[in-house]
Amino acid sequence: MAEYLRLPHSLALIRIRNPPVNAISPAVLYGIKEGLQKAVSDHTVKAIVISGADGKFCAGVDIHVFSTPWSSDTGLGDLVDEMQRNKKPVVAAIEGMALGGGLELALGSHYRIAHVQTETGFPEVTLGILPGARGTQLLPRLIGIPAALDLITSGRCILAGEAFKLGILDKVVNSDPLEKGIKFARTILDQPLECRRIMNKTVPNVPNMDAIFSEVFAKVRKQYPGYIAPETCIRAVQASVKHPYEVGIKEEKELAVYLVESGQARALQYAFFAERNANKWSTPSGVSWKTASVRPISLVGVLGKHVGEFLDSPHLHMVRAAIYLVPSGVKFCGKHIAVLAPLILIQVHELFILCVRTGDGNFFFFFFVVLGPELRTYTLSHSTSSQLIEMENILVPRGWGEVVSTFLTISNNGTMNIHVQVLCRHTVFSSLRDSIYVIYIRNFRVSDLAGLDVGWKGRKGQGLTGPALPPGTPARKRGNIRYCPIPDILCESGRFGQKTGKGWYQYDKPLGRIHKPDPWLSKFLSQYRETYHIEPRVISQDEILERCLYALINEAFRILGEGIAASPEHIDVIYLHGYGWPRYRGGPMFYASTVGLSTILEKLQKYYRQNPDIPQLEPSNYLKKLAAHGNPPLKEWQRLAGTPSSKL
Ligand SMILES: CCCCCCCCCCCCC/C=C/C(=O)SCCNC(=O)CCNC(=O)[C@H](O)C(C)(C)COP(=O)(O)OP(=O)(O)OC[C@H]1O[C@@H](n2cnc3c(N)ncnc32)[C@H](O)[C@@H]1OP(=O)(O)O
């Protein structure tokens, strides 16, 4: 809701109140409109101040509403126009944040005064939508095309100081902005407002406007491949240059509708809430991040490449800060361990596993991923690992290995079995076009990086290969289960991955990082097929994708069914942050809900009938139980299929 207060000195105050972040719900919008009308019709009111309760101006439109009919006509854009046209000056007194629709409300005001710690921005693009309540038309008029494009396509939030420099804010203050706003409003009661109405301005002209747009299109295509929102945002901003305001806002709306209705927006908004949900883990014994306390470290061990370099680097400092956040009460030696889903595995350069012993004798393992050089700098200078940990922590029992390496194994098995059946390895890779499937390719890169000999040693230890393998064991069977000996053969040929300069790929040199497909592997695969009489066949892209993905999804259902993961959202967050799963697909569980559970079940049944020696294709009981209900919403899964006893 929004409160209306009559203040002394001919002023009125509209205060948004909708905890926790004063998001714009239908009730809030109605409250603001009503407040505005009251102020307009009260001839004793000469100016209006708008603010947010509890130190937060407004975090934008309530994201939940984009999946309700209200989103089709929020009326927020009309309200923003009404505020601009108002004959009485409106002053936005901003504290905490003015994001998305919150910033649009501020742009609808004639003056903007903000506390120095305020964050502003248009994060809509990260939710798969655009600032569709006039943001794409007003911001370029206020700060010019290049700066507006930067903010709108990146979704980056900026502090008040930067917003002031860009011209978004009129004043930045160190004390209570509401007090300052009220004081300021008293000084402008009779000032003309025409020049304060952004809608009446023209977009500042810059030379090479076309070139600027072309450059930004190219940049976002490269930076956010597969995402539709960034390009659509650019088109909306372009409309502010091409058309007068009244036409521009119509185009903005059309583009907003296209995005709001897209599957990508649904997935990105799901991811937003899934991350917040995942951070709220707790164990049945009541341990959570909230109950966590700082614990001293007695020992730190780092396993991984370039350890010496790592220990000397600022990483160690960062890691120390992180370790102090390990919550007390979470035990590694018992069933419980706090797991940090690793960071995104795009352009992985280094992997570290960090073992920490705390003062009370418990051990914790952290899985760190260092990204490419540009990102690495970014990570170090703009982020602390305590933030990263707080953002990405997931709770799973028996160590991260349970979820993380099970997924790796499943996805590798899925693709490896497929690999040996296709004519040419490159065909597979080129057919895995959709970026979801790129994660499978990435798994081969990660295996090369980690060292193929690591898994080989493990398999030898389990008697799956090497001298302990009983003589006469068929090369491609272990018991009744299909076995893929290719990674073993690679290791036997000295192909241990990046460290030896060849593995699944060939590298520029031993320990080199530049990879390319290796013709050796194609030749090897064709000999392999001949040896084992594997008939080459063209495998459709659908089959490749389904066999890879549905096996993984099946495994996720098994994990859920066994109480190993707390919720489908937890699994999705692991995938989003641990494997570079494209965010616009929401994660494997969300993806399953969009495909339809009965479709997935049917396909798995079909592939399992065809490949009864691949157990990963056997539909899990949990999936079967859920599919019996049709395609229930993800939020209902655990209620419908029953919650197994938690292993957390
Ligand atoms: C079908 C037809 C369609 C037709 C369409 C027609 C056209 C439509 C045009 C539409 C025009 C709309 C234009 C405007 C759009 C928007 O404004 S979208 C929202 C933009 N804002 C954001 O993206 C901000 C998101 N929030 C954050 O970044 C952070 O939450 C924060 C505000 C910076 C606070 O961070 P922090 O302090 O770390 O707290 P959190 O844990 O993240 O959040 C606290 C709780 O608040 C909930 N929350 C936050 N923001 C929102 C929000 N905008 N809506 C709803 N809920 C929000 C968050 O989930 C947390 O809740 P709990 O998990 O319950 O604790």
Side-chain angles (χ1 to χ4, degrees), residues 46-98:
K46 295 254 169 63
I48 304 151
V49 178
I50 179 163
S51 74
D54 303 324
K56 291 160 190 168
F57 184 73
C58 174
V61 171
D62 182 337
I63 298 163
H64 295 100
V65 308
F66 292 112
S67 45
T68 69
W70 188 65
S71 70
S72 60
D73 188 17
T74 60
L76 179 60
D78 292 339
L79 173 65
V80 169
D81 284 348
E82 199 182 317
M83 289 167 72
Q84 295 189 79
R85 290 198 186 100
N86 206 325
K87 294 206 171 75
K88 301 180 182 180
V90 182
V91 177
I94 308 166
E95 199 174 0
M97 78 281 288

Side-chain angles (χ1 to χ4, degrees), residues 59-167:
V61 171
D62 182 337
I63 298 163
H64 295 100
V65 308
F66 292 112
S67 45
T68 69
W70 188 65
S71 70
S72 60
D73 188 17
T74 60
L76 179 60
D78 292 339
L79 173 65
V80 169
D81 284 348
E82 199 182 317
M83 289 167 72
Q84 295 189 79
R85 290 198 186 100
N86 206 325
K87 294 206 171 75
K88 301 180 182 180
V90 182
V91 177
I94 308 166
E95 199 174 0
M97 78 281 288
L99 301 175
L103 180 54
E104 283 165 323
L105 282 177
L107 296 180
S109 309
H110 303 109
Y111 297 92
R112 290 161 289 281
I113 297 180
H115 187 265
V116 66
Q117 293 295 340
T118 303
E119 283 202 84
T120 61
F122 280 131
E124 282 87 338
V125 69
T126 65
L127 299 168
I129 54 176
L130 55 76
R134 314 295 190 251
T136 65
Q137 304 305 297
L138 294 178
L139 196 64
R141 285 175 162 78
L142 189 63
I143 66 173
I145 290 292
L149 276 175
D150 170 41
L151 287 183
I152 291 172
T153 59
S154 69
R156 139 183 116 81
C157 296
I158 55 175
L159 277 172
E162 188 179 346
F164 175 74
K165 277 190 201 144
L166 285 172

Side-chain angles (χ1 to χ4, degrees), residues 484-499:
C484 182
I486 295 175
D488 301 335
I489 302 172
L490 258 56
C491 288
E492 283 156 16
S493 323
R495 300 179 72 100
F496 292 167
Q498 216 165 303
K499 60 180 141 192

Side-chain angles (χ1 to χ4, degrees), residues 267 270-271 274-275 278 341 394 403 407 552-553 556 565 567-583 585-593 634 637:
Y270 161 82
E275 281 166 350
I394 305 286
V403 172
F407 279 144
L552 183 153
I553 288 168
S567 74
E569 284 98 335
H570 279 68
I571 293 177
D572 281 342
V573 173
I574 288 178
Y575 248 79
L576 288 176
H577 292 279
Y579 292 93
W581 182 281
R583 205 176 163 82
R585 299 277 196 186
M589 297 280 81
F590 179 84
Y591 182 73
S593 74
L634 188 144
W637 287 359

